[in-house]
């Protein structure tokens, strides 16, 4: 998580420095921030740990010396931590096959809202969709597709959770939003 914080600080520093010709700034704690005039920035903390940031337009990447990589652009964000575990958001859609559940009939994906994460040996998938049907109707569709379902209906919001046949945990939250229902499906390994 420290590396991700460093990346966010780097982006703020880049904005402060601008993308002019090469320059170096010494930070309050003795680190440095250097730009090369080509849109590349190297942040070195007081202990010598480096984060290299490059990018143009809407595409940015950052690589730190601990192995963390963050890529922003091409429709989403991809983060690889020092262990090599990858999380993506909005880059590629989560499929029904990956979820182990069908999507609600007639529902549509909300672009950029799918998430795939692999961390600490656990996989999490999330897909956010929309439908014109009421929340309770959507959760009723999923109730028979989940082992040991637990449901809740609060009018404008409805949910069902339980397990899939393969043991993965599933939670589906459906909330009314601007005359439609927003369906958030999350599937995780134990």
């Amino acid at each position: 998580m420290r590396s991700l914080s460093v990346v966010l600080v780097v982006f703020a520093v880049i904005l402060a420095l601008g993308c002019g010709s090469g320059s170096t700034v010494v930070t309050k704690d003795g680190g440095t921030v250097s730009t090369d005039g080509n849109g590349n920035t190297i942040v070195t903390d007081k202990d010598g740990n480096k984060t290299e940031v490059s990018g143009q337009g809407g595409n940015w990447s950052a690589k730190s010396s601990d192995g963390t990589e963050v890529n922003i652009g091409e429709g989403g964000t991809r983060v690889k931590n020092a262990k090599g575990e990858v999380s993506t958001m909005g880059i590629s859609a989560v499929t029904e096959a990956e979820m182990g559940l069908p999507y609600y009939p007639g529902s549509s994906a909300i672009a950029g809202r799918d998430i795939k994460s692999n961390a600490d040996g656990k996989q999490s998938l999330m897909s956010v969709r929309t439908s014109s049907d009421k929340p309770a109707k959507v959760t009723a569709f999923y109730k028979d597709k989940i082992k040991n379902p637990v449901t809740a209906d609060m009018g404008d919001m409805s949910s069902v959770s339980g397990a899939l046949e393969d043991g993965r945990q599933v939670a589906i939250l459906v909330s009314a939003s601007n005359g439609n229902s927003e369906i958030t499906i999350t599937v995780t390994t134990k």
Side-chain angles (χ1 to χ4, degrees), residues 98-137:
E98 290 171 308
M99 283 284 192
L101 284 170
Y103 288 133
Y104 186 72
S107 67
S108 301
I110 298 177
R113 300 273 304 269
D114 284 3
I115 298 174
K116 297 178 185 181
S117 174
N118 291 296
D120 297 325
K122 296 180 182 181
Q123 180 186 50
S124 295
L125 303 168
M126 185 175 82
S127 182
V128 182
R129 309 182 64 78
T130 187
S131 170
S132 60
D133 289 340
K134 299 286 184 203
K137 185 174 181 182

PDB file of all heavy atoms in Angstrom, residues 98-137:
ATOM      1  N   GLU A  98     -16.684 -16.386 -15.797  1.00  0.00           N
ATOM      2  CA  GLU A  98     -15.808 -16.080 -14.664  1.00  0.00           C
ATOM      3  C   GLU A  98     -16.613 -15.965 -13.374  1.00  0.00           C
ATOM      4  O   GLU A  98     -16.181 -16.430 -12.321  1.00  0.00           O
ATOM      5  CB  GLU A  98     -15.060 -14.768 -14.902  1.00  0.00           C
ATOM      6  CG  GLU A  98     -14.003 -14.844 -15.977  1.00  0.00           C
ATOM      7  CD  GLU A  98     -13.441 -13.483 -16.325  1.00  0.00           C
ATOM      8  OE1 GLU A  98     -14.233 -12.545 -16.621  1.00  0.00           O
ATOM      9  OE2 GLU A  98     -12.208 -13.364 -16.304  1.00  0.00           O
ATOM     10  N   MET A  99     -17.778 -15.352 -13.464  1.00  0.00           N
ATOM     11  CA  MET A  99     -18.634 -15.172 -12.291  1.00  0.00           C
ATOM     12  C   MET A  99     -19.220 -16.492 -11.799  1.00  0.00           C
ATOM     13  O   MET A  99     -19.410 -16.675 -10.614  1.00  0.00           O
ATOM     14  CB  MET A  99     -19.802 -14.228 -12.604  1.00  0.00           C
ATOM     15  CG  MET A  99     -19.439 -12.789 -12.650  1.00  0.00           C
ATOM     16  SD  MET A  99     -19.229 -12.175 -10.976  1.00  0.00           S
ATOM     17  CE  MET A  99     -19.166 -10.458 -11.285  1.00  0.00           C
ATOM     18  N   GLY A 100     -19.556 -17.373 -12.750  1.00  0.00           N
ATOM     19  CA  GLY A 100     -20.245 -18.601 -12.369  1.00  0.00           C
ATOM     20  C   GLY A 100     -21.732 -18.382 -12.203  1.00  0.00           C
ATOM     21  O   GLY A 100     -22.438 -19.205 -11.630  1.00  0.00           O
ATOM     22  N   LEU A 101     -22.213 -17.262 -12.707  1.00  0.00           N
ATOM     23  CA  LEU A 101     -23.630 -16.879 -12.642  1.00  0.00           C
ATOM     24  C   LEU A 101     -24.023 -16.223 -13.951  1.00  0.00           C
ATOM     25  O   LEU A 101     -23.213 -15.510 -14.545  1.00  0.00           O
ATOM     26  CB  LEU A 101     -23.862 -15.829 -11.549  1.00  0.00           C
ATOM     27  CG  LEU A 101     -23.881 -16.239 -10.107  1.00  0.00           C
ATOM     28  CD1 LEU A 101     -23.883 -15.008  -9.214  1.00  0.00           C
ATOM     29  CD2 LEU A 101     -25.107 -17.088  -9.813  1.00  0.00           C
ATOM     30  N   PRO A 102     -25.280 -16.404 -14.358  1.00  0.00           N
ATOM     31  CA  PRO A 102     -25.724 -15.648 -15.534  1.00  0.00           C
ATOM     32  C   PRO A 102     -26.003 -14.206 -15.123  1.00  0.00           C
ATOM     33  O   PRO A 102     -26.307 -13.930 -13.965  1.00  0.00           O
ATOM     34  CB  PRO A 102     -27.028 -16.354 -15.922  1.00  0.00           C
ATOM     35  CG  PRO A 102     -27.542 -16.928 -14.636  1.00  0.00           C
ATOM     36  CD  PRO A 102     -26.314 -17.296 -13.835  1.00  0.00           C
ATOM     37  N   TYR A 103     -25.859 -13.311 -16.075  1.00  0.00           N
ATOM     38  CA  TYR A 103     -26.260 -11.942 -15.802  1.00  0.00           C
ATOM     39  C   TYR A 103     -27.771 -11.854 -15.919  1.00  0.00           C
ATOM     40  O   TYR A 103     -28.405 -12.611 -16.657  1.00  0.00           O
ATOM     41  CB  TYR A 103     -25.575 -10.968 -16.762  1.00  0.00           C
ATOM     42  CG  TYR A 103     -24.101 -10.807 -16.458  1.00  0.00           C
ATOM     43  CD1 TYR A 103     -23.155 -10.866 -17.466  1.00  0.00           C
ATOM     44  CD2 TYR A 103     -23.664 -10.595 -15.157  1.00  0.00           C
ATOM     45  CE1 TYR A 103     -21.807 -10.725 -17.182  1.00  0.00           C
ATOM     46  CE2 TYR A 103     -22.322 -10.455 -14.864  1.00  0.00           C
ATOM     47  CZ  TYR A 103     -21.396 -10.521 -15.882  1.00  0.00           C
ATOM     48  OH  TYR A 103     -20.082 -10.385 -15.591  1.00  0.00           O
ATOM     49  N   TYR A 104     -28.342 -10.931 -15.176  1.00  0.00           N
ATOM     50  CA  TYR A 104     -29.794 -10.768 -15.184  1.00  0.00           C
ATOM     51  C   TYR A 104     -30.259 -10.508 -16.615  1.00  0.00           C
ATOM     52  O   TYR A 104     -29.688  -9.663 -17.317  1.00  0.00           O
ATOM     53  CB  TYR A 104     -30.195  -9.602 -14.269  1.00  0.00           C
ATOM     54  CG  TYR A 104     -31.683  -9.457 -14.123  1.00  0.00           C
ATOM     55  CD1 TYR A 104     -32.409 -10.376 -13.383  1.00  0.00           C
ATOM     56  CD2 TYR A 104     -32.365  -8.434 -14.751  1.00  0.00           C
ATOM     57  CE1 TYR A 104     -33.785 -10.262 -13.253  1.00  0.00           C
ATOM     58  CE2 TYR A 104     -33.736  -8.295 -14.636  1.00  0.00           C
ATOM     59  CZ  TYR A 104     -34.440  -9.223 -13.878  1.00  0.00           C
ATOM     60  OH  TYR A 104     -35.812  -9.110 -13.770  1.00  0.00           O
ATOM     61  N   PRO A 105     -31.284 -11.252 -17.079  1.00  0.00           N
ATOM     62  CA  PRO A 105     -31.755 -11.101 -18.463  1.00  0.00           C
ATOM     63  C   PRO A 105     -32.110  -9.653 -18.800  1.00  0.00           C
ATOM     64  O   PRO A 105     -32.807  -8.983 -18.046  1.00  0.00           O
ATOM     65  CB  PRO A 105     -33.005 -11.985 -18.503  1.00  0.00           C
ATOM     66  CG  PRO A 105     -32.797 -12.993 -17.421  1.00  0.00           C
ATOM     67  CD  PRO A 105     -32.049 -12.263 -16.341  1.00  0.00           C
ATOM     68  N   GLY A 106     -31.571  -9.187 -19.911  1.00  0.00           N
ATOM     69  CA  GLY A 106     -31.844  -7.838 -20.383  1.00  0.00           C
ATOM     70  C   GLY A 106     -31.024  -6.763 -19.699  1.00  0.00           C
ATOM     71  O   GLY A 106     -31.139  -5.589 -20.044  1.00  0.00           O
ATOM     72  N   SER A 107     -30.183  -7.134 -18.733  1.00  0.00           N
ATOM     73  CA  SER A 107     -29.365  -6.121 -18.050  1.00  0.00           C
ATOM     74  C   SER A 107     -28.207  -5.711 -18.948  1.00  0.00           C
ATOM     75  O   SER A 107     -27.812  -6.436 -19.852  1.00  0.00           O
ATOM     76  CB  SER A 107     -28.847  -6.648 -16.715  1.00  0.00           C
ATOM     77  OG  SER A 107     -27.915  -7.696 -16.909  1.00  0.00           O
ATOM     78  N   SER A 108     -27.672  -4.533 -18.675  1.00  0.00           N
ATOM     79  CA  SER A 108     -26.541  -4.000 -19.442  1.00  0.00           C
ATOM     80  C   SER A 108     -25.403  -3.669 -18.503  1.00  0.00           C
ATOM     81  O   SER A 108     -25.631  -3.172 -17.396  1.00  0.00           O
ATOM     82  CB  SER A 108     -26.945  -2.711 -20.162  1.00  0.00           C
ATOM     83  OG  SER A 108     -28.018  -2.950 -21.028  1.00  0.00           O
ATOM     84  N   ALA A 109     -24.187  -3.927 -18.954  1.00  0.00           N
ATOM     85  CA  ALA A 109     -23.003  -3.577 -18.166  1.00  0.00           C
ATOM     86  C   ALA A 109     -22.871  -2.063 -18.099  1.00  0.00           C
ATOM     87  O   ALA A 109     -23.196  -1.362 -19.052  1.00  0.00           O
ATOM     88  CB  ALA A 109     -21.757  -4.189 -18.780  1.00  0.00           C
ATOM     89  N   ILE A 110     -22.395  -1.561 -16.971  1.00  0.00           N
ATOM     90  CA  ILE A 110     -22.061  -0.150 -16.848  1.00  0.00           C
ATOM     91  C   ILE A 110     -20.567  -0.057 -17.131  1.00  0.00           C
ATOM     92  O   ILE A 110     -19.747  -0.606 -16.392  1.00  0.00           O
ATOM     93  CB  ILE A 110     -22.417   0.406 -15.458  1.00  0.00           C
ATOM     94  CG1 ILE A 110     -23.929   0.291 -15.220  1.00  0.00           C
ATOM     95  CG2 ILE A 110     -21.947   1.853 -15.328  1.00  0.00           C
ATOM     96  CD1 ILE A 110     -24.390   0.741 -13.844  1.00  0.00           C
ATOM     97  N   ALA A 111     -20.218   0.613 -18.195  1.00  0.00           N
ATOM     98  CA  ALA A 111     -18.831   0.673 -18.666  1.00  0.00           C
ATOM     99  C   ALA A 111     -17.874   1.153 -17.586  1.00  0.00           C
ATOM    100  O   ALA A 111     -18.164   2.105 -16.863  1.00  0.00           O
ATOM    101  CB  ALA A 111     -18.729   1.587 -19.882  1.00  0.00           C
ATOM    102  N   GLY A 112     -16.739   0.470 -17.489  1.00  0.00           N
ATOM    103  CA  GLY A 112     -15.682   0.868 -16.582  1.00  0.00           C
ATOM    104  C   GLY A 112     -15.898   0.509 -15.127  1.00  0.00           C
ATOM    105  O   GLY A 112     -15.114   0.891 -14.269  1.00  0.00           O
ATOM    106  N   ARG A 113     -16.936  -0.237 -14.811  1.00  0.00           N
ATOM    107  CA  ARG A 113     -17.243  -0.534 -13.407  1.00  0.00           C
ATOM    108  C   ARG A 113     -16.918  -1.972 -13.006  1.00  0.00           C
ATOM    109  O   ARG A 113     -17.116  -2.341 -11.863  1.00  0.00           O
ATOM    110  CB  ARG A 113     -18.718  -0.244 -13.129  1.00  0.00           C
ATOM    111  CG  ARG A 113     -19.167   1.183 -13.365  1.00  0.00           C
ATOM    112  CD  ARG A 113     -18.992   2.123 -12.196  1.00  0.00           C
ATOM    113  NE  ARG A 113     -19.615   1.721 -10.973  1.00  0.00           N
ATOM    114  CZ  ARG A 113     -20.846   2.046 -10.598  1.00  0.00           C
ATOM    115  NH1 ARG A 113     -21.619   2.757 -11.369  1.00  0.00           N
ATOM    116  NH2 ARG A 113     -21.301   1.644  -9.427  1.00  0.00           N
ATOM    117  N   ASP A 114     -16.432  -2.804 -13.929  1.00  0.00           N
ATOM    118  CA  ASP A 114     -16.054  -4.169 -13.583  1.00  0.00           C
ATOM    119  C   ASP A 114     -14.677  -4.172 -12.940  1.00  0.00           C
ATOM    120  O   ASP A 114     -13.802  -3.395 -13.313  1.00  0.00           O
ATOM    121  CB  ASP A 114     -16.037  -5.071 -14.822  1.00  0.00           C
ATOM    122  CG  ASP A 114     -17.440  -5.456 -15.288  1.00  0.00           C
ATOM    123  OD1 ASP A 114     -18.419  -4.983 -14.686  1.00  0.00           O
ATOM    124  OD2 ASP A 114     -17.538  -6.228 -16.241  1.00  0.00           O
ATOM    125  N   ILE A 115     -14.496  -5.058 -11.981  1.00  0.00           N
ATOM    126  CA  ILE A 115     -13.219  -5.164 -11.277  1.00  0.00           C
ATOM    127  C   ILE A 115     -12.824  -6.624 -11.181  1.00  0.00           C
ATOM    128  O   ILE A 115     -13.648  -7.479 -10.854  1.00  0.00           O
ATOM    129  CB  ILE A 115     -13.307  -4.567  -9.859  1.00  0.00           C
ATOM    130  CG1 ILE A 115     -13.634  -3.078  -9.911  1.00  0.00           C
ATOM    131  CG2 ILE A 115     -12.011  -4.816  -9.087  1.00  0.00           C
ATOM    132  CD1 ILE A 115     -13.886  -2.455  -8.556  1.00  0.00           C
ATOM    133  N   LYS A 116     -11.541  -6.903 -11.450  1.00  0.00           N
ATOM    134  CA  LYS A 116     -10.952  -8.222 -11.236  1.00  0.00           C
ATOM    135  C   LYS A 116      -9.759  -8.014 -10.321  1.00  0.00           C
ATOM    136  O   LYS A 116      -8.905  -7.182 -10.600  1.00  0.00           O
ATOM    137  CB  LYS A 116     -10.462  -8.831 -12.549  1.00  0.00           C
ATOM    138  CG  LYS A 116     -11.550  -9.093 -13.552  1.00  0.00           C
ATOM    139  CD  LYS A 116     -10.963  -9.658 -14.836  1.00  0.00           C
ATOM    140  CE  LYS A 116     -12.031  -9.812 -15.895  1.00  0.00           C
ATOM    141  NZ  LYS A 116     -11.483 -10.387 -17.139  1.00  0.00           N
ATOM    142  N   SER A 117      -9.705  -8.772  -9.234  1.00  0.00           N
ATOM    143  CA  SER A 117      -8.610  -8.603  -8.286  1.00  0.00           C
ATOM    144  C   SER A 117      -8.102  -9.962  -7.824  1.00  0.00           C
ATOM    145  O   SER A 117      -8.890 -10.852  -7.526  1.00  0.00           O
ATOM    146  CB  SER A 117      -9.104  -7.802  -7.077  1.00  0.00           C
ATOM    147  OG  SER A 117      -8.107  -7.731  -6.087  1.00  0.00           O
ATOM    148  N   ASN A 118      -6.784 -10.096  -7.788  1.00  0.00           N
ATOM    149  CA  ASN A 118      -6.135 -11.273  -7.230  1.00  0.00           C
ATOM    150  C   ASN A 118      -5.142 -10.781  -6.204  1.00  0.00           C
ATOM    151  O   ASN A 118      -4.146 -10.153  -6.553  1.00  0.00           O
ATOM    152  CB  ASN A 118      -5.401 -12.063  -8.321  1.00  0.00           C
ATOM    153  CG  ASN A 118      -6.362 -12.719  -9.268  1.00  0.00           C
ATOM    154  OD1 ASN A 118      -7.121 -13.579  -8.868  1.00  0.00           O
ATOM    155  ND2 ASN A 118      -6.347 -12.298 -10.520  1.00  0.00           N
ATOM    156  N   ALA A 119      -5.422 -11.042  -4.939  1.00  0.00           N
ATOM    157  CA  ALA A 119      -4.521 -10.593  -3.880  1.00  0.00           C
ATOM    158  C   ALA A 119      -4.557 -11.587  -2.731  1.00  0.00           C
ATOM    159  O   ALA A 119      -5.622 -12.108  -2.382  1.00  0.00           O
ATOM    160  CB  ALA A 119      -4.921  -9.205  -3.387  1.00  0.00           C
ATOM    161  N   ASP A 120      -3.406 -11.847  -2.182  1.00  0.00           N
ATOM    162  CA  ASP A 120      -3.271 -12.772  -1.059  1.00  0.00           C
ATOM    163  C   ASP A 120      -3.925 -14.120  -1.343  1.00  0.00           C
ATOM    164  O   ASP A 120      -4.543 -14.721  -0.471  1.00  0.00           O
ATOM    165  CB  ASP A 120      -3.856 -12.158   0.220  1.00  0.00           C
ATOM    166  CG  ASP A 120      -3.107 -10.908   0.652  1.00  0.00           C
ATOM    167  OD1 ASP A 120      -1.873 -10.865   0.450  1.00  0.00           O
ATOM    168  OD2 ASP A 120      -3.744  -9.986   1.179  1.00  0.00           O
ATOM    169  N   GLY A 121      -3.804 -14.580  -2.583  1.00  0.00           N
ATOM    170  CA  GLY A 121      -4.349 -15.879  -2.959  1.00  0.00           C
ATOM    171  C   GLY A 121      -5.857 -15.915  -3.129  1.00  0.00           C
ATOM    172  O   GLY A 121      -6.440 -16.975  -3.294  1.00  0.00           O
ATOM    173  N   LYS A 122      -6.493 -14.777  -3.073  1.00  0.00           N
ATOM    174  CA  LYS A 122      -7.952 -14.705  -3.213  1.00  0.00           C
ATOM    175  C   LYS A 122      -8.300 -13.941  -4.478  1.00  0.00           C
ATOM    176  O   LYS A 122      -7.675 -12.946  -4.803  1.00  0.00           O
ATOM    177  CB  LYS A 122      -8.583 -14.011  -2.014  1.00  0.00           C
ATOM    178  CG  LYS A 122      -8.387 -14.754  -0.722  1.00  0.00           C
ATOM    179  CD  LYS A 122      -9.046 -14.019   0.421  1.00  0.00           C
ATOM    180  CE  LYS A 122      -8.801 -14.768   1.714  1.00  0.00           C
ATOM    181  NZ  LYS A 122      -9.438 -14.110   2.832  1.00  0.00           N
ATOM    182  N   GLN A 123      -9.321 -14.427  -5.167  1.00  0.00           N
ATOM    183  CA  GLN A 123      -9.795 -13.726  -6.349  1.00  0.00           C
ATOM    184  C   GLN A 123     -11.134 -13.084  -6.036  1.00  0.00           C
ATOM    185  O   GLN A 123     -11.992 -13.696  -5.406  1.00  0.00           O
ATOM    186  CB  GLN A 123      -9.979 -14.685  -7.526  1.00  0.00           C
ATOM    187  CG  GLN A 123     -10.464 -13.966  -8.770  1.00  0.00           C
ATOM    188  CD  GLN A 123     -10.785 -14.909  -9.901  1.00  0.00           C
ATOM    189  OE1 GLN A 123     -11.499 -15.888  -9.712  1.00  0.00           O
ATOM    190  NE2 GLN A 123     -10.256 -14.619 -11.071  1.00  0.00           N
ATOM    191  N   SER A 124     -11.295 -11.844  -6.449  1.00  0.00           N
ATOM    192  CA  SER A 124     -12.563 -11.132  -6.316  1.00  0.00           C
ATOM    193  C   SER A 124     -12.956 -10.611  -7.687  1.00  0.00           C
ATOM    194  O   SER A 124     -12.122 -10.083  -8.416  1.00  0.00           O
ATOM    195  CB  SER A 124     -12.443  -9.955  -5.354  1.00  0.00           C
ATOM    196  OG  SER A 124     -12.168 -10.397  -4.054  1.00  0.00           O
ATOM    197  N   LEU A 125     -14.217 -10.777  -8.010  1.00  0.00           N
ATOM    198  CA  LEU A 125     -14.775 -10.277  -9.264  1.00  0.00           C
ATOM    199  C   LEU A 125     -15.986  -9.424  -8.927  1.00  0.00           C
ATOM    200  O   LEU A 125     -16.762  -9.763  -8.035  1.00  0.00           O
ATOM    201  CB  LEU A 125     -15.224 -11.433 -10.160  1.00  0.00           C
ATOM    202  CG  LEU A 125     -14.175 -12.472 -10.526  1.00  0.00           C
ATOM    203  CD1 LEU A 125     -14.839 -13.683 -11.169  1.00  0.00           C
ATOM    204  CD2 LEU A 125     -13.158 -11.865 -11.463  1.00  0.00           C
ATOM    205  N   MET A 126     -16.133  -8.332  -9.641  1.00  0.00           N
ATOM    206  CA  MET A 126     -17.321  -7.496  -9.453  1.00  0.00           C
ATOM    207  C   MET A 126     -17.778  -6.987 -10.804  1.00  0.00           C
ATOM    208  O   MET A 126     -16.969  -6.556 -11.623  1.00  0.00           O
ATOM    209  CB  MET A 126     -17.035  -6.317  -8.534  1.00  0.00           C
ATOM    210  CG  MET A 126     -18.296  -5.504  -8.235  1.00  0.00           C
ATOM    211  SD  MET A 126     -18.024  -4.180  -7.044  1.00  0.00           S
ATOM    212  CE  MET A 126     -17.338  -2.939  -8.115  1.00  0.00           C
ATOM    213  N   SER A 127     -19.083  -7.056 -11.020  1.00  0.00           N
ATOM    214  CA  SER A 127     -19.675  -6.491 -12.224  1.00  0.00           C
ATOM    215  C   SER A 127     -20.847  -5.622 -11.798  1.00  0.00           C
ATOM    216  O   SER A 127     -21.637  -6.023 -10.929  1.00  0.00           O
ATOM    217  CB  SER A 127     -20.161  -7.601 -13.165  1.00  0.00           C
ATOM    218  OG  SER A 127     -20.697  -7.030 -14.343  1.00  0.00           O
ATOM    219  N   VAL A 128     -20.941  -4.453 -12.395  1.00  0.00           N
ATOM    220  CA  VAL A 128     -22.047  -3.544 -12.097  1.00  0.00           C
ATOM    221  C   VAL A 128     -22.846  -3.387 -13.379  1.00  0.00           C
ATOM    222  O   VAL A 128     -22.302  -3.073 -14.437  1.00  0.00           O
ATOM    223  CB  VAL A 128     -21.551  -2.179 -11.577  1.00  0.00           C
ATOM    224  CG1 VAL A 128     -22.730  -1.282 -11.232  1.00  0.00           C
ATOM    225  CG2 VAL A 128     -20.644  -2.373 -10.368  1.00  0.00           C
ATOM    226  N   ARG A 129     -24.147  -3.624 -13.268  1.00  0.00           N
ATOM    227  CA  ARG A 129     -25.035  -3.652 -14.424  1.00  0.00           C
ATOM    228  C   ARG A 129     -26.277  -2.821 -14.120  1.00  0.00           C
ATOM    229  O   ARG A 129     -26.493  -2.414 -12.983  1.00  0.00           O
ATOM    230  CB  ARG A 129     -25.416  -5.099 -14.736  1.00  0.00           C
ATOM    231  CG  ARG A 129     -24.165  -6.007 -14.844  1.00  0.00           C
ATOM    232  CD  ARG A 129     -24.490  -7.424 -15.199  1.00  0.00           C
ATOM    233  NE  ARG A 129     -25.075  -7.541 -16.522  1.00  0.00           N
ATOM    234  CZ  ARG A 129     -24.402  -7.493 -17.660  1.00  0.00           C
ATOM    235  NH1 ARG A 129     -23.097  -7.296 -17.660  1.00  0.00           N
ATOM    236  NH2 ARG A 129     -25.019  -7.624 -18.814  1.00  0.00           N
ATOM    237  N   THR A 130     -27.089  -2.618 -15.117  1.00  0.00           N
ATOM    238  CA  THR A 130     -28.330  -1.878 -14.919  1.00  0.00           C
ATOM    239  C   THR A 130     -29.489  -2.613 -15.596  1.00  0.00           C
ATOM    240  O   THR A 130     -29.293  -3.321 -16.584  1.00  0.00           O
ATOM    241  CB  THR A 130     -28.205  -0.423 -15.445  1.00  0.00           C
ATOM    242  OG1 THR A 130     -29.377   0.298 -15.078  1.00  0.00           O
ATOM    243  CG2 THR A 130     -28.008  -0.368 -16.928  1.00  0.00           C
ATOM    244  N   SER A 131     -30.675  -2.443 -15.020  1.00  0.00           N
ATOM    245  CA  SER A 131     -31.887  -3.056 -15.555  1.00  0.00           C
ATOM    246  C   SER A 131     -33.064  -2.133 -15.262  1.00  0.00           C
ATOM    247  O   SER A 131     -33.035  -1.371 -14.293  1.00  0.00           O
ATOM    248  CB  SER A 131     -32.134  -4.420 -14.887  1.00  0.00           C
ATOM    249  OG  SER A 131     -33.407  -4.923 -15.225  1.00  0.00           O
ATOM    250  N   SER A 132     -34.110  -2.254 -16.060  1.00  0.00           N
ATOM    251  CA  SER A 132     -35.310  -1.461 -15.804  1.00  0.00           C
ATOM    252  C   SER A 132     -36.243  -2.149 -14.809  1.00  0.00           C
ATOM    253  O   SER A 132     -37.232  -1.564 -14.379  1.00  0.00           O
ATOM    254  CB  SER A 132     -36.052  -1.185 -17.117  1.00  0.00           C
ATOM    255  OG  SER A 132     -36.425  -2.412 -17.728  1.00  0.00           O
ATOM    256  N   ASP A 133     -35.935  -3.388 -14.405  1.00  0.00           N
ATOM    257  CA  ASP A 133     -36.772  -4.112 -13.445  1.00  0.00           C
ATOM    258  C   ASP A 133     -36.512  -3.644 -12.014  1.00  0.00           C
ATOM    259  O   ASP A 133     -35.444  -3.120 -11.699  1.00  0.00           O
ATOM    260  CB  ASP A 133     -36.529  -5.618 -13.556  1.00  0.00           C
ATOM    261  CG  ASP A 133     -37.106  -6.191 -14.856  1.00  0.00           C
ATOM    262  OD1 ASP A 133     -37.987  -5.540 -15.462  1.00  0.00           O
ATOM    263  OD2 ASP A 133     -36.667  -7.283 -15.254  1.00  0.00           O
ATOM    264  N   LYS A 134     -37.480  -3.872 -11.144  1.00  0.00           N
ATOM    265  CA  LYS A 134     -37.387  -3.487  -9.737  1.00  0.00           C
ATOM    266  C   LYS A 134     -36.358  -4.353  -9.005  1.00  0.00           C
ATOM    267  O   LYS A 134     -36.118  -5.508  -9.373  1.00  0.00           O
ATOM    268  CB  LYS A 134     -38.746  -3.642  -9.048  1.00  0.00           C
ATOM    269  CG  LYS A 134     -39.833  -2.780  -9.649  1.00  0.00           C
ATOM    270  CD  LYS A 134     -39.639  -1.340  -9.248  1.00  0.00           C
ATOM    271  CE  LYS A 134     -40.787  -0.492  -9.785  1.00  0.00           C
ATOM    272  NZ  LYS A 134     -40.431   0.883  -9.908  1.00  0.00           N
ATOM    273  N   PRO A 135     -35.725  -3.821  -7.956  1.00  0.00           N
ATOM    274  CA  PRO A 135     -34.715  -4.567  -7.216  1.00  0.00           C
ATOM    275  C   PRO A 135     -35.167  -5.951  -6.738  1.00  0.00           C
ATOM    276  O   PRO A 135     -34.427  -6.935  -6.888  1.00  0.00           O
ATOM    277  CB  PRO A 135     -34.388  -3.650  -6.033  1.00  0.00           C
ATOM    278  CG  PRO A 135     -34.614  -2.277  -6.575  1.00  0.00           C
ATOM    279  CD  PRO A 135     -35.824  -2.432  -7.475  1.00  0.00           C
ATOM    280  N   ALA A 136     -36.359  -6.067  -6.177  1.00  0.00           N
ATOM    281  CA  ALA A 136     -36.828  -7.360  -5.651  1.00  0.00           C
ATOM    282  C   ALA A 136     -36.952  -8.405  -6.758  1.00  0.00           C
ATOM    283  O   ALA A 136     -36.671  -9.594  -6.534  1.00  0.00           O
ATOM    284  CB  ALA A 136     -38.162  -7.191  -4.930  1.00  0.00           C
ATOM    285  N   LYS A 137     -37.341  -7.996  -7.954  1.00  0.00           N
ATOM    286  CA  LYS A 137     -37.457  -8.933  -9.075  1.00  0.00           C
ATOM    287  C   LYS A 137     -36.078  -9.459  -9.472  1.00  0.00           C
ATOM    288  O   LYS A 137     -35.911 -10.637  -9.789  1.00  0.00           O
ATOM    289  CB  LYS A 137     -38.148  -8.268 -10.267  1.00  0.00           C
ATOM    290  CG  LYS A 137     -38.397  -9.213 -11.419  1.00  0.00           C
ATOM    291  CD  LYS A 137     -39.207  -8.565 -12.532  1.00  0.00           C
ATOM    292  CE  LYS A 137     -39.436  -9.573 -13.655  1.00  0.00           C
ATOM    293  NZ  LYS A 137     -40.161  -8.981 -14.774  1.00  0.00           N
TER     294      LYS A 137
END
